[in-house]
Amino acid sequence: MGQAVLPIKNEGGYYEIRLESIGGLGANLCGKMLGELGIRHLGLNSASFSSYGSEKTGTPVKAYIRYCEDKKAIRVHSPVIKPHLLGIFHDALLHNDGILEGCTAQTTLVLNTQQESKEVIAKCAQASEVYIVPAQRIAMETHSRINVVMLGAMGAAMGFVPLEAIKQVCEENLGKKYPDALAANLAGIERGYHETVRIQLEKTGKTDTEKNSCTEQELGYETAPIGGINPHIGNSVIADLSPSRQGYIPIFRPEKCINCALCDSTCPDMVFQFQKGIYKDKEMMVNKGLDYYHCKGCLRCVAVCPTGALVKGIEAQNPHKEHFLPNQDLLRQPNYYEKSGADGYITSESYLTEKRIAGGEV
């Protein structure tokens, strides 16, 4: 096909996309496919990259995509601050105001949500347009994945991307690797494209400046903090990962603990709190408890524990967690922890009748 016509561009000449998600929902791959979509099927130049931690399952993930005309070179490789399209892969992410950072009167927002509630939509009011799609339900019904449903939904919301082009980039990326799941993924794309609904936003009369009061000052040579401090905190040390858990937590049984610290060495998120104490009449570092704010429920500690001091538990059955000891070096302050979103897929009723495989479900 010929070159697609970008409906809007920023001062640099780019159409910019940002995806907000948590590890496990496929935003990284979705961003890659959006990048290839621009080059291979829209006649545009494009660039894409993602941002996530070393142990990304359950933790915040962001993907950034830029489009421009084919005669223009992309010379900007920084994160997208003011997106023209913002894709949010789970409505629980809206609990964090930073997810909507940079939304302007030119931003189109695509949200995966199971219900059209006034509370959810009100949080998106600073965008110019809001589209919702029940991506999780569609993914379960088509035996596909949330990322391909969101890919179809975002293609529909952009307005200049034909459905066939999205299907082709999916075939190129997933067809050879997961041929058995290709038909399901294509069905997920098509339903996402057609079942995305535009929401009529209520006009509040606020100005763009008032709507975007949370947008931070742009930093440059003259406005950077003294000492070169990075104000854009991007690691899980200060993140409340509890919303990312998929229904399970490690349960600590201190009477079985031998303080070998294998749990601490395998944990990616500083959960275990060791302090000086006495074990078998010797002074040593003793496991005093778990910081469940940092725990995302990966259960790697349960797998590595040699004595059964850590066991798998259902969080709903343990609302009052014993041995919950917050990290004393990171005392909580208002708005200090950045929340990620929840993925209820594993504990959902539909999951019980499905078997998850790479590339889809059968």
Side-chain angles (χ1 to χ4, degrees), residues 244-320:
S244 299
R245 291 197 285 266
Q246 301 185 36
Y248 303 107
I249 56 171
I251 302 296
F252 183 41
R253 299 192 292 185
E255 68 277 4
K256 291 183 174 290
C257 182
I258 59 174
N259 299 299
C260 63
L262 286 175
C263 55
D264 188 49
S265 62
T266 196
C267 177
D269 290 303
M270 298 178 65
V271 169
F272 296 92
Q273 305 304 304
F274 279 77
Q275 299 175 6
K276 287 184 178 180
I278 302 297
Y279 177 68
K280 290 187 176 181
D281 300 324
K282 294 182 180 179
E283 184 176 335
M284 61 185 298
M285 298 300 288
V286 176
N287 191 353
K288 295 293 186 178
L290 291 71
D291 184 345
Y292 284 104
Y293 285 114
H294 286 162
C295 178
K296 60 176 176 285
C298 67
L299 301 180
R300 289 167 59 175
C301 57
V302 174
V304 78
C305 182
T307 64
L310 291 161
V311 295
K312 177 181 178 180
I314 298 175
E315 185 165 14
Q317 297 176 358
N318 296 273
H320 305 292

Side-chain angles (χ1 to χ4, degrees), residues 173-195:
N173 279 271
L174 304 178
K176 293 182 180 179
K177 193 171 183 179
Y178 307 115
D180 294 338
L182 179 59
N185 286 326
L186 293 177
I189 286 175
E190 185 158 358
R191 286 192 58 182
Y193 193 92
H194 291 299
E195 296 182 27

Side-chain angles (χ1 to χ4, degrees), residues 213-227:
S213 59
C214 64
T215 302
E216 297 181 7
Q217 177 187 6
E218 293 186 6
L219 299 179
Y221 178 78
E222 295 182 351
T223 57
I226 295 175

